[in-house]
Amino acid sequence: MRVIELHRSVTDSNDRDAEALRQELKEKGVLLINLMSAPGAGKTTLLSRIITDLHDQLRIAVLEADIEASVDAERIEALGARSIQVHTDGMCHMDAGMSRTGLEALDLTGIDLAFLENIGNLICPAEYDTGAGLNVMISGIPEGDDKPLKYPLMYQKSQALVLSKMDALPYFDFDLKKFEKRVHFLNPQIRIFPVSAKTGEGMEALEAWLLSETAKWKER
Amino acid sequence: MRVIELHRSVTDSNDRDAEALRQELKEKGVLLINLMSAPGAGKTTLLSRIITDLHDQLRIAVLEADIEASVDAERIEALGARSIQVHTDGMCHMDAGMSRTGLEALDLTGIDLAFLENIGNLICPAEYDTGAGLNVMISGIPEGDDKPLKYPLMYQKSQALVLSKMDALPYFDFDLKKFEKRVHFLNPQIRIFPVSAKTGEGMEALEAWLLSETAKWKER
């Protein structure tokens, strides 16, 4: 298990660094997806399911970012996927320089799709371009249907939203229609994928979209 | 509904400001509790229950901090409690200067117990002393039992932990014993209150503790 300790990036031009990283990944034919959510929304569980389901079709790698600990990278490695853990020195987000450092240590040779599992936080990660080709956020049913009102930026910055823990819907007071309306008010283009990584509900649609986006990224 | 727009505090000495605010609150006999959690852990639902249950015994006020929106303050006001909403200008935490501005606008005359409902975030709020007499964090069953491994600072800075959404325990893979062991490893003194604001389970013990801490704060 490799762990990389990151420090604050020295550059002031994160947007430029992010764009450069995105172009390099494009040339390598690697789609990087920046996966963002609150703590405990189920990022690692979702990734585990995707890696297992798509392992004959895509070569997937995962860059795990956390303040501390390596439990997530260990779970991903146990599935046989390439994975590396980065620690952010207390910082609540990843930026492009940090992504680059992590990806270089991860080694992307032969990889089609790489996930950056960002810090569990709905605020700071949305403010920094990581160089990813797509931003995807996860929102869990137990978090409630009012989250778009309180953390609008992340909904605006994401191309897709995974609504996780759909199996828990009967036990929570969550209004799906109201949630979708709030999300689309902030971002009319966003794709919403309601899923349960536990029961498999909705995973097929999400995985078909991932396959299609990875293919499009290699073509363009 | 009053909404205060906050800006970055001008002072560099947050610890000193926090200590000064704490002393002033002490002299006024107001216990300020800094309530921290991830987004969607149920801070407002818990506060609503506490306000309803204790309204004959304590005069409670709530300072609601969010990046945007005022839905939480509206819920609290609907219960008849004094409440004010502050917006943090995109910042992921509250500091002592921001608390002071909010509390001054809130007016603490006649108040026994004030809650600062901090930004939904497990990282940044733990790094700033708000001037509160007690730090209390909420962790929800759906967030998983591994959170102490990933966000240790908040567990170390809190005097009490409310383990919320206990009614959802049967539907999630959450190991209570393992969770408690991880929490006590980080903070042997922390009080853990497993509760469900929905069914009322565990609320009595939590509210007895709040009554006792408020009385102690006035005596000392």
Side-chain angles (χ1 to χ4, degrees), chain A residues 66 72 142 150 165 171 198, chain B residues 72 142 150 165 171 198:
Chain A
D66 277 297
D72 291 344
K150 300 172 81 174
K165 306 190 187 180
Y171 316 116
K198 201 194 254 179
Chain B
D72 291 344
K150 300 172 81 174
K165 306 189 188 182
Y171 316 117
K198 201 194 255 179

Side-chain angles (χ1 to χ4, degrees), chain A residues 10-214:
Chain A
V10 284
T11 170
D12 281 335
S13 56
N14 185 60
D15 286 351
R16 199 168 56 207
D17 294 350
E19 200 47 47
L21 178 58
R22 196 156 27 243
Q23 284 312 313
E24 285 176 39
L25 291 169
K26 181 90 188 120
E27 281 155 31
K28 285 184 183 158
V30 180
L31 174 58
L32 176 66
I33 292 184
N34 174 28
L35 194 60
M36 301 178 285
S37 82
K43 289 189 293 299
T44 313
T45 302
L46 184 80
L47 283 179
S48 300
R49 177 100 201 194
I50 290 169
I51 289 166
T52 306
D53 291 352
L54 297 184
H55 98 284
D56 287 340
Q57 295 161 81
L58 289 179
R59 285 155 302 176
I60 297 177
V62 181
L63 175 58
E64 293 286 349
D66 277 297
I67 306 277
E68 310 205 7
S70 308
V71 283
D72 291 344
E74 285 161 17
R75 280 175 68 188
I76 297 296
E77 277 200 345
L79 301 170
R82 207 177 300 168
S83 171
I84 201 163
Q85 178 80 49
V86 299
H87 288 162
T88 60
D89 194 22
M91 280 174 286
C92 53
H93 67 275
M94 288 283 288
D95 66 19
M98 294 156 83
S99 294
R100 176 184 291 279
T101 304
L103 291 174
E104 282 170 1
L106 181 57
D107 177 18
L108 295 176
T109 316
I111 295 296
D112 304 304
L113 176 60
F115 287 98
L116 161 58
E117 187 178 332
N118 214 316
I119 303 284
N121 183 326
L122 289 182
I123 305 161
C124 323
E127 294 167 3
Y128 292 84
D129 190 341
T130 59
L134 290 172
N135 290 321
V136 174
M137 70 173 292
I138 309 182
S139 192
I141 292 291
E143 294 168 43
D145 55 29
D146 62 342
K147 290 301 153 291
L149 303 174
K150 300 172 81 174
Y151 306 97
L153 188 64
M154 189 166 289
Y155 291 82
Q156 288 162 340
K157 294 276 185 179
S158 298
Q159 284 80 43
L161 161 68
V162 177
L163 182 56
S164 68
K165 306 190 187 180
M166 280 296 286
D167 55 284
L169 189 59
Y171 316 116
F172 289 90
D173 181 22
F174 189 104
D175 187 329
L176 266 180
K177 285 257 176 302
K178 204 181 272 181
F179 179 79
E180 287 180 1
K181 204 171 150 188
R182 285 168 176 164
V183 172
H184 283 134
F185 174 77
L186 292 169
N187 182 346
Q189 274 79 46
I190 198 169
R191 294 283 305 266
I192 302 180
F193 295 100
V195 308
S196 164
K198 201 194 254 179
T199 67
E201 173 189 349
M203 290 302 299
E204 210 173 324
L206 173 61
E207 288 162 356
W209 181 78
L210 290 172
L211 285 166
S212 143
E213 291 295 322
T214 308

